[in-house]
Coordinates of all heavy atoms in Angstrom, one line a residue:
L109 N -1.3 8.8 -7.5 CA -1.4 7.9 -6.5 C -0.9 6.6 -7.0 O -1.5 6.2 -8.0 CB -3.0 7.8 -5.9 CG -3.2 6.7 -4.8 CD1 -2.6 7.0 -3.6 CD2 -4.8 6.6 -4.8
V110 N -0.1 5.9 -6.3 CA 0.5 4.7 -6.7 C -0.1 3.6 -6.0 O -0.5 2.5 -6.7 CB 2.0 4.7 -6.4 CG1 2.6 3.3 -6.7 CG2 2.8 5.7 -7.1
A111 N -0.4 3.7 -4.7 CA -1.0 2.6 -3.8 C -1.7 3.2 -2.7 O -1.2 4.2 -2.1 CB 0.0 1.6 -3.5
R112 N -2.8 2.6 -2.3 CA -3.4 3.0 -1.1 C -3.7 1.7 -0.2 O -4.1 0.7 -0.8 CB -4.8 3.7 -1.4 CG -5.7 4.2 -0.3 CD -7.0 4.6 -0.7 NE -6.9 5.9 -1.3 CZ -7.4 6.1 -2.6 NH1 -8.0 5.0 -3.3 NH2 -7.5 7.2 -3.2
V113 N -3.5 1.9 1.1 CA -4.0 1.0 1.9 C -5.0 1.7 3.0 O -4.7 2.7 3.5 CB -2.8 0.3 2.7 CG1 -1.9 1.3 3.5 CG2 -3.2 -0.7 3.9
K114 N -6.2 1.1 3.1 CA -7.3 1.7 3.8 C -7.1 1.3 5.3 O -6.2 0.4 5.6 CB -8.6 1.2 3.4 CG -9.0 1.7 2.1 CD -10.4 1.4 1.6 CE -10.6 2.3 0.3 NZ -12.1 2.0 -0.2
F115 N -7.7 1.9 6.2 CA -7.5 1.7 7.7 C -7.8 0.3 8.0 O -7.1 -0.3 8.9 CB -8.2 2.6 8.4 CG -9.8 2.5 8.5 CD1 -10.3 1.7 9.3 CD2 -10.5 3.2 7.6 CE1 -11.8 1.6 9.3 CE2 -12.0 3.1 7.6 CZ -12.5 2.3 8.5
G116 N -8.8 -0.3 7.3 CA -9.1 -1.8 7.5 C -8.2 -2.7 6.8 O -8.3 -4.0 7.1
G117 N -7.2 -2.2 6.0 CA -6.2 -3.1 5.3 C -6.4 -3.3 3.9 O -5.6 -3.9 3.2
A118 N -7.6 -2.9 3.3 CA -7.8 -3.2 1.9 C -6.9 -2.2 1.1 O -6.5 -1.2 1.6 CB -9.3 -2.7 1.5
T119 N -6.4 -2.9 0.1 CA -5.5 -2.1 -0.9 C -5.9 -1.9 -2.3 O -6.8 -2.6 -2.7 CB -4.2 -2.9 -0.9 OG1 -4.4 -4.1 -1.3 CG2 -3.6 -3.0 0.5
N120 N -5.5 -0.8 -2.9 CA -5.7 -0.7 -4.4 C -4.5 -0.1 -5.0 O -3.8 0.6 -4.3 CB -6.9 0.1 -4.6 CG -7.0 1.4 -4.1 OD1 -7.2 1.6 -2.9 ND2 -6.8 2.5 -4.9
Y121 N -4.2 -0.2 -6.3 CA -3.1 0.2 -6.9 C -3.3 0.9 -8.2 O -4.4 0.4 -9.0 CB -2.2 -1.0 -7.2 CG -1.7 -1.8 -6.0 CD1 -2.5 -2.9 -5.5 CD2 -0.5 -1.5 -5.3 CE1 -2.2 -3.5 -4.2 CE2 -0.2 -2.1 -4.1 CZ -0.9 -3.1 -3.6 OH -0.6 -3.7 -2.5
A122 N -2.4 1.7 -8.7 CA -2.5 2.2 -10.1 C -2.2 1.0 -11.1 O -1.5 0.2 -10.7 CB -1.5 3.2 -10.2
D123 N -2.9 1.2 -12.3 CA -2.7 0.0 -13.2 C -1.1 -0.2 -13.5 O -0.7 -1.3 -13.8 CB -3.4 0.3 -14.5 CG -4.9 0.2 -14.2 OD1 -5.3 -0.5 -13.3 OD2 -5.6 0.8 -15.1
S124 N -0.4 0.9 -13.5 CA 1.0 0.8 -13.9 C 1.9 0.0 -12.9 O 2.9 -0.4 -13.2 CB 1.6 2.2 -14.0 OG 1.5 2.9 -12.8
V125 N 1.5 -0.1 -11.7 CA 2.2 -0.9 -10.7 C 1.6 -2.1 -10.2 O 2.2 -2.9 -9.5 CB 2.7 -0.1 -9.5 CG1 3.2 1.3 -10.0 CG2 1.4 0.3 -8.7
K126 N 0.4 -2.4 -10.6 CA -0.3 -3.6 -10.2 C 0.4 -4.8 -10.4 O 0.9 -5.1 -11.6 CB -1.9 -3.6 -10.9 CG -2.7 -4.4 -10.1 CD -4.2 -4.2 -10.8 CE -4.7 -2.8 -10.5 NZ -6.1 -2.5 -11.1
G127 N 0.5 -5.6 -9.4 CA 1.3 -7.0 -9.6 C 2.8 -6.8 -9.3 O 3.4 -7.9 -9.3
R128 N 3.2 -5.6 -9.2 CA 4.7 -5.6 -9.0 C 5.0 -4.8 -7.6 O 5.8 -5.2 -7.0 CB 5.2 -4.5 -10.1 CG 5.1 -5.2 -11.5 CD 5.9 -4.2 -12.5 NE 5.5 -2.9 -12.5 CZ 6.2 -1.8 -12.3 NH1 7.5 -1.9 -11.9 NH2 5.7 -0.7 -12.4
F129 N 4.0 -4.0 -7.1 CA 4.1 -3.1 -5.8 C 3.2 -3.7 -4.8 O 2.0 -4.1 -5.2 CB 3.9 -1.7 -6.1 CG 4.9 -1.0 -6.9 CD1 5.9 -1.5 -7.6 CD2 4.9 0.4 -6.9 CE1 6.8 -1.0 -8.3 CE2 5.8 1.2 -7.6 CZ 6.8 0.5 -8.3
T130 N 3.5 -3.8 -3.7 CA 2.7 -4.2 -2.5 C 2.9 -3.1 -1.5 O 3.9 -2.9 -0.8 CB 3.1 -5.5 -2.0 OG1 3.2 -6.6 -3.0 CG2 2.1 -5.9 -0.9
V131 N 1.7 -2.6 -1.0 CA 1.5 -1.6 0.1 C 1.2 -2.3 1.4 O 0.3 -3.2 1.4 CB 0.7 -0.5 -0.2 CG1 -0.8 -0.8 -0.4 CG2 0.7 0.7 0.8
S132 N 1.8 -1.9 2.6 CA 1.4 -2.4 3.8 C 1.4 -1.4 5.0 O 2.0 -0.3 4.6 CB 2.1 -3.8 4.1 OG 3.4 -3.3 4.2
R133 N 0.9 -1.6 6.1 CA 0.9 -0.8 7.1 C 1.2 -1.5 8.4 O 0.8 -2.7 8.7 CB -0.4 0.1 7.3 CG -1.6 -0.7 7.6 CD -2.8 0.2 7.4 NE -2.8 1.3 8.3 CZ -3.5 2.4 8.2 NH1 -4.2 2.7 7.0 NH2 -3.5 3.4 9.0
D134 N 1.8 -0.7 9.4 CA 2.0 -1.4 10.8 C 1.4 -0.2 11.7 O 2.0 0.8 12.0 CB 3.4 -1.5 11.1 CG 3.6 -2.3 12.3 OD1 2.9 -2.0 13.3 OD2 4.6 -2.9 12.6
N135 N 0.2 -0.4 12.2 CA -0.5 0.5 13.0 C 0.3 0.7 14.3 O 0.3 1.9 14.9 CB -1.9 0.2 13.2 CG -2.7 0.3 12.0 OD1 -2.5 1.1 11.1 ND2 -3.8 -0.5 11.9
A136 N 0.9 -0.2 14.9 CA 1.5 -0.2 16.1 C 2.7 0.8 16.0 O 3.1 1.7 16.9 CB 2.1 -1.4 16.7
K137 N 3.6 0.6 14.9 CA 4.6 1.4 14.5 C 4.3 2.8 13.8 O 5.2 3.6 13.7 CB 5.7 0.7 13.9 CG 6.3 -0.5 14.6 CD 7.3 -1.2 13.8 CE 7.7 -2.4 14.4 NZ 8.8 -3.2 13.7
K138 N 3.1 2.9 13.4 CA 2.6 4.1 12.6 C 3.6 4.2 11.3 O 4.0 5.3 11.0 CB 2.8 5.4 13.4 CG 1.7 5.4 14.5 CD 1.6 6.9 15.0 CE 0.5 7.1 16.0 NZ 0.5 8.4 16.6
T139 N 3.8 3.1 10.7 CA 4.6 3.1 9.4 C 3.7 2.6 8.3 O 2.9 1.8 8.4 CB 5.8 2.3 9.5 OG1 5.4 0.9 9.9 CG2 6.7 2.8 10.7
V140 N 4.1 3.0 7.1 CA 3.5 2.5 5.8 C 4.7 2.0 4.9 O 5.6 2.9 4.9 CB 2.6 3.5 5.1 CG1 2.0 2.9 3.9 CG2 1.6 4.1 6.1
S141 N 4.5 1.0 4.4 CA 5.6 0.4 3.4 C 5.3 0.3 2.1 O 4.0 0.1 1.7 CB 6.3 -0.9 4.0 OG 6.8 -0.6 5.4
L142 N 6.2 0.2 1.1 CA 6.0 0.0 -0.4 C 6.9 -0.9 -0.8 O 8.2 -0.5 -1.0 CB 5.7 1.3 -1.1 CG 5.4 1.1 -2.5 CD1 3.9 0.7 -2.6 CD2 5.5 2.3 -3.4
Q143 N 6.6 -2.2 -0.9 CA 7.6 -3.1 -1.6 C 7.5 -3.1 -3.1 O 6.2 -3.2 -3.6 CB 7.3 -4.5 -1.1 CG 8.1 -5.6 -1.7 CD 9.6 -5.5 -1.3 OE1 9.9 -5.2 -0.3 NE2 10.4 -5.7 -2.4
M144 N 8.5 -2.8 -3.7 CA 8.5 -2.6 -5.2 C 9.4 -3.6 -5.9 O 10.5 -3.6 -5.6 CB 9.1 -1.2 -5.5 CG 8.3 -0.1 -4.8 SD 8.8 1.6 -5.4 CE 10.5 1.6 -4.8

């Protein structure tokens, strides 16, 4: 697991990517993104 975004929006990351990767979601579009 690299990154998780919970249904409420909370996020957590693997130590190896923390500070570099950002996970987000768009519930209307049913998409999940990972900015690296």
Side-chain angles (χ1 to χ4, degrees):
L109 177 66
V110 173
R112 179 190 288 122
V113 54
K114 296 188 175 182
F115 71 89
T119 58
N120 60 281
Y121 300 90
D123 287 343
S124 58
V125 306
K126 202 171 292 183
R128 300 189 297 123
F129 290 11
T130 302
V131 61
S132 60
R133 65 189 296 159
D134 185 328
N135 288 335
K137 296 181 179 179
K138 291 189 176 182
T139 58
V140 185
S141 298
L142 186 68
Q143 176 65 41
M144 304 185 294

